[in-house]
């Protein structure tokens, strides 16, 4: 027996548990990193995305006027971004929020390419990557959300 196996056996802990413990530490780090990514995305969408639209900043107003959507479109998109930012921090809504914000970014990419000549088209594409990661990693919450919604319908 090797020293590592002997030490594990001496503690009467099977070798598989030691591997599981290291996976748990690794898993905990991954969960912390994912949570930090969600917080960073939420802050980005709330501060850089929603805030300028909701306060009617001149640059946001100009962009939406150029689109022909006016202030109503600007406030609607700002509200969607703020709702998505908040939902990224609520466990049962995390995956759905990431998917919804990803869909919003697809729309932003199309608008950037078609209306603004692709000047800032990379930004929505870059944001889709971490949003996809969050949506996939938190996908187990979709079942919880569905159960929650179905229980509400029966009551």
């Amino acid at each position: 027996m090797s020293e590592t196996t002997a030490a594990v056996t001496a503690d009467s802990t099977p070798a598989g548990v030691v591997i599981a413990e290291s996976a748990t530490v690794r898993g905990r780090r991954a969960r912390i990193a994912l949570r930090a990514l969600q917080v960073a995305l939420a802050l980005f969408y709330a501060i850089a995305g929603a805030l300028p639209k909701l306060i009617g900043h001149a640059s946001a107003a100009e962009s939406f006027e150029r689109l022909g959507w006016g202030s109503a479109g600007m406030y609607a998109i700002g509200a969607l971004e703020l709702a998505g930012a908040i939902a990224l921090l609520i466990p049962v809504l995390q995956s759905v929020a990431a998917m919804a914000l990803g869909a919003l970014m697809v729309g932003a990419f199309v608008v950037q390419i078609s209306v603004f000549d692709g000047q800032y088209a990379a930004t929505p594409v870059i944001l889709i990557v971490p949003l996809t990661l969050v949506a996939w990693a938190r996908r187990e919450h979709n079942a919880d959300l569905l159960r929650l919604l179905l229980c509400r319908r029966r009551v």
Side-chain angles (χ1 to χ4, degrees):
M1 273 190 187
S2 69
E3 291 178 24
T4 307
T5 308
V8 171
T9 313
D11 292 341
S12 72
T13 307
V17 174
V18 172
I19 294 170
E21 286 176 11
S22 64
T24 303
V25 170
R26 188 178 194 187
R28 183 183 321 142
R29 287 182 185 150
R31 284 190 304 275
I32 291 170
L34 184 63
R35 191 67 172 161
L37 176 63
Q38 287 175 242
V39 169
L41 283 168
L43 286 172
F44 176 82
Y45 277 102
I47 296 169
L51 185 64
K53 294 172 185 78
L54 294 175
I55 66 171
H57 191 270
S59 64
E62 180 184 318
S63 296
F64 280 90
E65 285 300 324
R66 186 171 170 192
L67 282 171
W69 295 0
S71 61
M74 179 179 66
Y75 292 127
I77 297 296
L80 288 172
E81 288 178 339
L82 183 60
I86 293 167
L88 274 174
L89 303 175
I90 300 171
V92 75
L93 298 175
Q94 294 168 346
S95 180
V96 172
M99 288 186 281
L101 287 170
L104 198 62
M105 290 301 98
V106 169
F109 175 75
V110 170
V111 166
Q112 286 295 326
I113 293 295
S114 61
V115 177
F116 297 107
D117 300 323
Q119 185 178 5
Y120 298 108
T123 304
V125 172
I126 290 168
L127 288 169
I128 287 172
V129 174
L131 288 169
T132 303
L133 175 67
V134 171
W136 181 80
R138 302 295 190 189
R139 68 190 181 279
E140 72 275 358
H141 292 297
N142 293 339
D144 298 337
L145 180 61
L146 185 61
R147 258 185 259 115
L148 195 77
L149 292 173
L150 290 176
C151 287
R152 296 270 183 197
R153 283 178 79 189
R154 291 181 188 159
V155 173

